[in-house]
Amino acid sequence: MLGDHRTDKDRQLDDVRVDYQDTALTTDHGIRIDDTDNSLRPGERGPTLMEDFHFREKLTHFDHERIPERVVHARGSAAHGYFEPYDAALAPFTRAQFLTTPGLRTPVFVRFSTVVGSRGSADTVRDVRGFAVKFYTAQGNFDLVGNNIPVFFIQDGIKFPDIVHAAKPEPHNEIPQASTAHDTLWDFVRLQPESTHMMMWVMSDRALPRSYRMMQGFGVHTFRLVNAEGRGTFVKFHWKPKLGIHSLVWDETQKIAGKDPDFNRRDLWEAIVTGNFPEWELGVQLVAEEDEHSFDFDLLDATKIIPEELVPVQPVGRLVLDRNPDNFFAETEQVAFHLGNVVPGIDFTNDPLLQSRLFSYLDTQLIRLGGPNFPQIPINRPLAEVRNHHRDGYHQMIIPRGRASYHPNSTGGGCPAVGGPDAYTHFQERVDGHKIRKRSASFADHYSQATLFWNSMSSWERAHIVAAFRFELGRVVDPDIREGVVRNLSNVDHELASLVAAGIGVAPPAEPAVPNHGLSSPALSQAHAPVRSVATRKIAILVADGADGGQVKAVQAALGSMGALCDVLAPRGGAVRDLDDKPVPVNHALITMASVLYDAVLVPGGQESARALSMDGEAVHYVAEAFKHAKAIGVLGEGALLLETARLGPGPHPGVVTGTGEDVKGFAKAFGAAVAAHRHHGRAMDGVPA
């Protein structure tokens, strides 16, 4: 039976959901309370009495509300949804039923996160993003705990405390927050060259996602699928967003962090509320066991990718998020992911970083969630039946019956019994060797794939990478650290190292440390990603008194039919009067919503409106800033006056769409296409500041 497991999980959570409407206030022990605003005291001005049990309970609970935040990935957002395989294409490779049963919708809980910052940091910092998926399968929970970048900083998990300590705020002053632009991180990077490939990704726009809904996800490690016959196949997991892969620009992210630090969190929440359910496609790269050593890199090295040109990504299913959590703490904060949660048909490899995560992810939950019974927390509970001999501990929520709490036993009829056709069995492989602290020589190449990444970038992507290195290293105080990083970059590409050096006061390397191999992988570039649609893109329509109300309504309708989300903004809230003195409803006053919070800006016609906006500094800034950030700008009729006032330079400019107002539908189609393209970085090549 396939069943509706999404409903099953909802029903399971229903057992612990509490609705407080039309209820009376009580203590934790069910005693009705007559007053919760005043502590008990002798006389109106007397001391508080210790016998006030409600006061003591209320304050004690409040004093203990906070639990330790995650050391990394503390800042997160999450949602419920389901995974559905397209077909049974993976059946020859794995016993995992949720991957091989067409029509089966497996409920999931997905948490996105930043890595370095604390729980209260901003969403739009330059950082890796976590992409963790908990599948509530009929065979047990499977946790695919990945990132939006397919590689990692280190090869061996014994270095994990070092990279995290280096990236976190410096210990003497707890500065900077949620930023790698400081000495200790870059000191680690220059002395640990295996991090070079990862730092190329982090300095790219991949570390500045426009939205979680427009972000790839990767399992990072090489895992192993195992079929019913026990045959293994190496696998890498990929999530590809339905809306395409899109990023912000650096200047924009810094301003968003101040204007709306919850930008990505709000975006995910609102998309689900409005029925624009985020969707990703799960793809796999499969490598036969006998081909493990067929590459010029090691499959077990987490600092390496398998280029898609060598092993194409095979689509196998889709992930849809369609419900927000009921309570952030109970679900998003208490969810516990662990790479050791695997189901029959999925197994591990000897990747040393993966092996260390198998220990660390379990270990960290014991302190964060108070003990070994955290799997009983509702958001962590599997749908599969749980029966074992685990006993006692803090927060034990079940009442085991019977005498047997050991195996083997006869007092409990030998139950819970081991084995059976659905039991998990590990992949069998021969492993031997001397006990040593040494890495394989196949892990020694730290630069070839960093060069591959650089070679694969478009001109504007390269310019953004250089600017990112200059910013980060420009904040580094120690010149020796800056020089060391540039020396490392010379092993990636001499031009890259020279460009970075020129911006940070470091002498460029005299000659290439290693010749550039000239290879590239187009799949790595966001410039080569397919243009999707205008759906869910936020567009600011700027108006003032005297705007052409007919144009406003027409473009709203046309763009809305494409799925765009339009807000009318004006110098004041409420409404403005159009050409016919009719009200045009205003969603927000200009001063309350910055241009960085929108994907595009549109200025309708109306001479009086255009003149008023041209004399409004906020409106002029809206257009100039949107242009600087390479966003689409639409102008109808007299609205062109605002562009002239913003002094954008001689046109035409890529992504700036103009119209007379006579063919609003045609204009909306052209403007929608410009918005769907996301950004128009070609403006920088026109000699206009971008």
Side-chain angles (χ1 to χ4, degrees):
M1 293 178 61
L2 298 185
D4 185 346
H5 289 286
R6 185 165 67 92
T7 301
D8 289 345
K9 186 62 186 178
D10 283 344
R11 186 180 301 114
Q12 185 190 65
L13 291 175
D14 278 341
D15 293 340
V16 292
R17 289 184 175 121
V18 178
D19 189 347
Y20 292 102
Q21 188 172 357
D22 299 325
T23 63
L25 183 68
T26 74
T27 68
D28 285 340
H29 303 279
I31 302 164
R32 290 279 292 268
I33 299 299
D34 65 337
D35 188 325
T36 191
D37 297 321
N38 302 283
S39 56
L40 187 66
R41 59 179 66 90
E44 294 179 352
R45 302 182 69 249
T48 298
L49 298 177
M50 287 297 292
E51 67 184 72
D52 188 349
F53 58 85
H54 174 50
F55 164 81
R56 295 200 318 272
E57 179 187 82
K58 186 176 180 180
L59 267 290
T60 298
H61 195 284
F62 172 76
D63 291 342
H64 293 265
E65 281 180 358
R66 296 282 76 81
I67 66 173
E69 69 175 31
R70 293 167 171 87
V71 177
V72 287
H73 298 276
R75 171 82 179 178
S77 307
H80 294 270
Y82 62 88
F83 172 78
E84 182 177 17
Y86 292 144
D87 49 39
L90 287 181
F93 302 98
T94 180
R95 296 169 56 203
Q97 296 170 5
F98 79 98
L99 289 174
T100 59
T101 310
L104 175 64
R105 288 190 171 184
T106 298
V108 300
F109 190 69
V110 180
R111 187 177 186 271
F112 306 102
S113 55
T114 55
V115 174
V116 175
S118 66
R119 182 180 168 188
S121 57
D123 280 346
T124 57
V125 296
R126 179 180 295 280
D127 200 355
V128 188
R129 299 303 192 279
F131 195 129
V133 184
K134 184 179 288 291
F135 298 82
Y136 303 95
T137 88
Q139 296 172 292
N141 287 355
F142 169 56
D143 292 352
L144 182 56
V145 193
N147 290 327
N148 74 322
I149 291 176
V151 293
F152 202 63
F153 298 94
I154 52 175
Q155 297 170 325
D156 191 319
I158 200 170
K159 298 299 297 176
F160 196 70
D162 299 310
I163 177 59
V164 173
H165 289 166
K168 285 284 189 177
E170 299 196 7
H172 66 295
N173 61 7
E174 189 66 9
I175 297 173
Q177 175 59 241
S179 171
T180 54
H182 58 101
D183 286 50
T184 58
L185 181 279
W186 288 101
D187 187 40
F188 178 89
V189 167
R190 68 149 175 167
L191 298 173
Q192 200 76 25
E194 68 198 60
S195 64
T196 304
H197 186 197
M198 179 67 165
M199 292 311 299
M200 293 295 294
W201 284 80
V202 175
M203 293 300 102
S204 78
D205 289 355
R206 296 287 190 139
L208 312 172
R210 158 62 180 84
S211 164
Y212 296 135
R213 301 177 295 119
M214 304 171 192
M215 182 180 81
Q216 276 185 287
F218 303 91
V220 180
H221 305 286
T222 300
F223 290 86
R224 182 181 270 115
L225 299 180
V226 184
N227 67 10
E229 290 74 43
R231 179 169 59 86
T233 303
F234 293 110
V235 61
K236 278 188 176 285
F237 294 104
H238 296 246
W239 296 109
K240 296 194 175 184
K242 181 179 179 180
L243 292 175
I245 309 161
H246 302 297
S247 296
L248 303 168
V249 297
W250 176 233
D251 179 70
E252 183 182 18
T253 65
Q254 296 176 87
K255 294 173 179 175
I256 293 174
K259 298 287 186 179
D260 184 5
D262 304 305
F263 182 76
N264 291 138
R265 176 179 289 181
R266 190 185 312 280
D267 174 88
L268 177 66
W269 182 277
E270 291 181 349
I272 294 173
V273 167
T274 57
N276 294 301
F277 300 141
E279 184 172 335
W280 291 260
E281 183 171 72
L282 178 63
V284 295
Q285 289 178 296
L286 301 177
V287 177
E289 292 277 343
E290 57 268 24
D291 294 331
E292 177 181 2
H293 303 294
S294 300
F295 307 96
D296 60 0
F297 53 88
D298 199 314
L299 289 180
L300 304 183
D301 182 354
T303 69
K304 304 296 188 298
I305 63 167
I306 305 177
E308 292 186 30
E309 291 75 17
L310 297 181
V311 180
V313 176
Q314 175 183 338
V316 296
R318 68 184 186 124
L319 168 71
V320 178
L321 300 182
D322 59 5
R323 185 168 64 82
N324 284 313
D326 290 310
N327 182 274
F328 184 90
F329 178 83
E331 297 172 86
T332 305
E333 195 65 16
Q334 288 198 122
V335 67
F337 293 96
H338 174 38
L339 281 83
N341 293 340
V342 291
V343 295
I346 301 176
D347 207 339
F348 316 112
T349 63
N350 296 332
D351 172 349
L353 181 61
L354 170 58
Q355 292 289 321
S356 68
R357 292 179 76 195
L358 293 174
F359 165 78
S360 184
Y361 277 62
L362 174 61
D363 187 53
T364 191
Q365 312 301 346
L366 299 177
I367 182 65
R368 197 175 69 82
L369 296 175
N373 290 316
F374 67 85
Q376 297 179 23
I377 295 173
I379 193 62
N380 296 320
R381 285 176 57 194
L383 290 175
E385 185 178 84
V386 176
R387 296 288 186 271
N388 54 49
H389 296 302
H390 299 168
R391 291 293 186 268
D392 307 340
Y394 285 115
H395 316 304
Q396 177 60 257
M397 299 297 175
I398 64 172
I399 303 175
R401 303 178 69 181
R403 297 168 61 194
S405 58
Y406 54 92
H407 181 87
N409 70 76
S410 62
T411 58
C415 294
V418 299
D422 293 328
Y424 189 94
T425 55
H426 288 273
F427 177 77
Q428 296 185 20
E429 62 175 333
R430 180 183 176 86
V431 180
D432 57 47
H434 296 288
K435 185 165 55 178
I436 57 175
R437 293 187 185 273
K438 186 178 180 181
R439 296 186 198 179
S440 169
S442 58
F443 280 49
D445 178 8
H446 304 315
Y447 300 111
S448 292
Q449 289 208 353
T451 303
L452 180 76
F453 184 79
W454 173 255
N455 291 347
S456 305
M457 298 295 102
S458 66
S459 58
W460 60 265
E461 288 174 308
R462 290 188 181 192
H464 290 185
I465 291 171
V466 170
F469 272 112
R470 287 179 171 182
F471 177 89
E472 296 267 324
L473 295 172
R475 304 296 293 269
V476 170
V477 177
D478 190 335
D480 290 338
I481 296 176
R482 297 198 300 267
E483 291 170 2
V485 174
V486 168
R487 282 195 299 272
N488 266 358
L489 292 179
S490 186
N491 292 302
V492 177
D493 180 80
H494 184 257
E495 180 189 21
L496 167 63
S498 299
L499 289 170
V500 172
I504 60 173
V506 171
E511 58 184 27
V514 179
N516 187 312
H517 54 57
L519 301 176
S520 65
S521 172
L524 299 178
S525 171
Q526 288 182 254
H528 295 138
V531 174
R532 300 293 184 173
S533 74
V534 72
T536 75
R537 293 306 186 122
K538 298 185 70 175
I539 300 172
I541 301 177
L542 308 187
V543 300
D545 286 326
D548 190 321
Q551 288 182 3
V552 173
K553 289 182 180 179
V555 294
Q556 278 184 301
L559 293 170
S561 69
M562 302 176 195
L565 305 174
C566 298
D567 280 346
V568 176
L569 278 66
R572 65 175 186 272
V576 296
R577 312 300 296 185
D578 70 4
L579 289 169
D580 300 318
D581 201 34
K582 294 179 180 178
V584 176
V586 172
N587 298 102
H588 304 284
L590 279 168
I591 60 170
T592 66
M593 295 292 289
S595 76
V596 293
L597 305 180
Y598 290 92
D599 294 293
V601 177
L602 192 153
V603 187
Q607 190 171 30
E608 182 184 347
S609 173
R611 190 161 44 240
L613 292 173
S614 297
M615 293 186 291
D616 186 301
E618 289 288 342
V620 174
H621 179 69
Y622 248 80
V623 172
E625 189 170 54
F627 187 86
K628 177 182 179 181
H629 295 154
K631 297 178 181 179
I633 298 175
V635 179
L636 283 168
E638 298 89 348
L641 178 61
L642 184 55
L643 265 63
E644 295 172 11
T645 307
R647 298 183 179 181
L648 305 183
H653 303 295
V656 177
V657 180
T658 60
T660 63
E662 297 177 0
D663 181 13
V664 175
K665 287 187 177 180
F667 165 83
K669 183 178 180 180
F671 180 63
V675 176
H678 184 59
R679 299 298 166 93
H680 301 270
H681 295 290
R683 290 173 191 165
M685 297 177 225
D686 297 336
V688 179

